[in-house]
Amino acid sequence: MHKRLLAAGIAALFLTGTASAQTLNVATAGDQNMVDYIKDYLGPLFEKSHPGVKVVAVGTGPGDGGSQKIYEKLDAQKKAGTANSDFDVVVVHQKAAGTMVTEGLLEKYREKIPTGNLVTRDTATNSLGADVSGYVMPMFHSQTAIAYNPDLVANPPNSYPELRDWVKKNPKQFGYNGIKGGMSGVAFVTGWVSAFGGDAAKLEKGPYDPATKGAWDKAMADLKEFNGNVVITPGNAGTLDMLNRGEIAMGPVWVDMFYSWKADGKLPPNMRLKLVSPGMPGQPMYYAIPAKAGQEKLAADFIALATSPDVQAEGIVKRFNWYPGIDAKNLEGKLDQAAWNQLFSDIPPDTLAANGKSFPIGPYFNDILETYEKKVAN
């Protein structure tokens, strides 16, 4: 009798333990490094602080296509009346995030987590014109800036107007890839239109008015003249390569690529960055919680950990050379001085907050590229 009771107790304990085991399913768009980050770093960190929880990460592919797959899955499950979605946390691009919020596929959670007030950039509320307030937390911010060789440029331009004047005096010393072969050139062009084309805030937040592009004629004519004095590079890597060889003195780059190239010895160690005013665009990736997440509380805890200053410092800044999703000032004291200096000596947190912009909303973005092809490239 005693043995039967003991066996029953052990079985009950086993069943209780099994029932209490929890799985947090995380789906992320982006390159493989995004999946590896969650599997190898963030997941184990969360599991350590939440015994009995297993984090399972799945990648859906790079670019907007990866985010589209997540959207399609959540949309299909909503239409099918599925009680709980397959995903508890999703990591998506701006375009998909706006669509998901508009269609009621995401949970509003930001105000419920302790890190929700650590980000004040408009990317936390505006996603390419869609209001995403409360529904997302930026995982990180990619950012473009002007790279320059201080041996060749003693006093780099501080703004787009100053850069335009500098190029006139220093022909063929500035290079970018136009709108072909890489987004650093596209970012430079959209920044140009924001600087010289009229209402910059409207480009980022809408509403869309197709007549707006008629006001860009002067800005595009000036850009065509500007292009006559610059070098058109083969792409993102092409700009960095020409900077490395001294064939150009300045050019727009992605900040994380810039620092990775420096770390690999493919750029001179004295190369520097300048984020010119009124600003250049970058893009965040977002953490979000599906509206029908089965583990909503765990999902919120996971995002709170992922956007905490310590994790943003170690996981986002030191591992990837990305700018943090939360405001950079919250990382002071969390990074060793060398890491802080590398990422913020040229572009301090206040400059990043002021001049780190979003890409224009989709319709304006398309109009800018189309107008460039018609009036600048030809």
Side-chain angles (χ1 to χ4, degrees):
M1 182 70 173
H2 176 73
K3 289 182 179 180
R4 287 200 301 270
L5 289 174
L6 180 60
I10 292 173
L13 181 63
F14 177 77
L15 289 171
T16 302
T18 301
S20 64
Q22 295 172 293
T23 298
L24 186 74
N25 293 299
V26 182
T28 177
D31 294 326
Q32 183 61 36
N33 61 357
M34 297 284 287
V35 182
D36 293 342
Y37 175 66
I38 296 169
K39 288 175 61 178
D40 300 338
Y41 174 70
L42 199 53
L45 198 64
F46 187 74
E47 291 168 356
K48 185 176 180 181
S49 62
H50 291 72
V53 174
K54 176 65 177 176
V55 177
V56 177
V58 59
T60 57
D64 285 332
S67 293
Q68 178 67 17
K69 290 178 182 177
I70 294 174
Y71 160 75
E72 290 171 356
K73 185 70 170 179
L74 297 180
D75 181 55
Q77 292 186 323
K78 178 184 178 182
K79 290 174 178 175
T82 305
N84 292 323
S85 64
D86 287 350
F87 310 135
D88 301 303
V89 176
V90 295
V91 185
V92 295
H93 296 80
Q94 284 186 297
K95 183 179 178 181
T99 302
M100 290 179 188
V101 169
T102 301
E103 298 188 12
L105 297 176
L106 298 182
E107 178 72 23
K108 200 168 190 177
Y109 73 93
R110 183 180 155 199
E111 294 177 355
K112 302 175 185 177
I113 63 174
T115 57
N117 63 352
L118 298 183
V119 56
T120 59
R121 281 182 65 165
D122 62 359
T123 49
T125 58
N126 170 48
S127 183
L128 301 179
D131 183 359
V132 295
S133 303
Y135 292 91
V136 300
M137 278 290 287
M139 176 187 184
F140 67 87
H141 287 94
S142 58
Q143 180 63 48
T144 54
I146 303 297
Y148 69 95
N149 186 334
D151 291 341
L152 303 175
V153 186
N155 298 299
N158 294 303
S159 66
Y160 267 93
E162 288 184 14
L163 175 61
R164 179 184 57 190
D165 295 340
W166 186 90
V167 164
K168 287 181 180 178
K169 298 174 183 176
N170 301 272
K172 305 302 180 182
Q173 289 300 297
F174 181 90
Y176 80 108
N177 61 272
I179 60 171
K180 299 289 179 67
M183 285 297 290
S184 61
V186 175
F188 178 77
V189 171
T190 58
W192 180 284
V193 175
S194 295
F196 299 117
D199 190 348
K202 188 176 182 180
L203 297 181
E204 295 177 21
K205 299 178 181 180
Y208 176 66
D209 178 359
T212 301
K213 61 184 176 183
W216 301 340
D217 287 350
K218 176 65 165 59
M220 289 298 187
D222 288 347
L223 184 53
K224 186 176 182 69
E225 180 183 350
F226 177 89
N227 277 6
N229 290 315
V230 309
V231 176
I232 301 300
T233 70
N236 293 335
T239 300
L240 287 163
D241 194 42
M242 293 186 78
L243 284 164
N244 178 51
R245 296 198 302 265
E247 295 173 7
I248 56 175
M250 280 198 295
V253 299
W254 287 103
V255 171
D256 59 310
M257 283 187 69
F258 173 84
Y259 283 121
S260 293
W261 277 52
K262 282 187 73 172
D264 292 341
K266 295 192 292 185
L267 281 176
N270 66 331
M271 293 288 286
R272 300 187 63 183
L273 293 170
K274 191 83 173 184
L275 183 52
V276 296
S277 65
M280 293 179 65
Q283 256 190 337
M285 290 288 283
Y286 289 134
Y287 288 115
I289 300 175
K292 292 189 175 184
Q295 301 283 5
E296 181 184 342
K297 176 61 169 64
L298 276 180
D301 290 346
F302 180 85
I303 296 173
L305 175 69
T307 54
S308 65
D310 286 328
V311 171
Q312 289 272 294
E314 175 62 33
I316 297 300
V317 175
K318 294 187 74 172
R319 285 172 177 254
F320 291 104
N321 295 313
W322 287 326
Y323 283 112
I326 61 176
D327 293 346
K329 65 182 181 182
N330 296 302
L331 272 62
E332 291 192 57
K334 303 295 183 181
L335 292 167
D336 59 77
Q337 198 60 46
W340 179 270
N341 288 343
Q342 173 172 286
L343 204 58
F344 298 116
S345 59
D346 287 343
I347 305 176
D350 57 344
T351 300
L352 182 63
N355 293 342
K357 304 297 185 182
S358 293
F359 278 97
I361 64 173
Y364 283 131
F365 182 83
N366 293 335
D367 284 348
I368 289 172
L369 300 185
E370 179 185 330
T371 306
Y372 183 96
E373 286 284 8
K374 289 181 178 178
K375 299 192 174 184
V376 179
N378 292 332

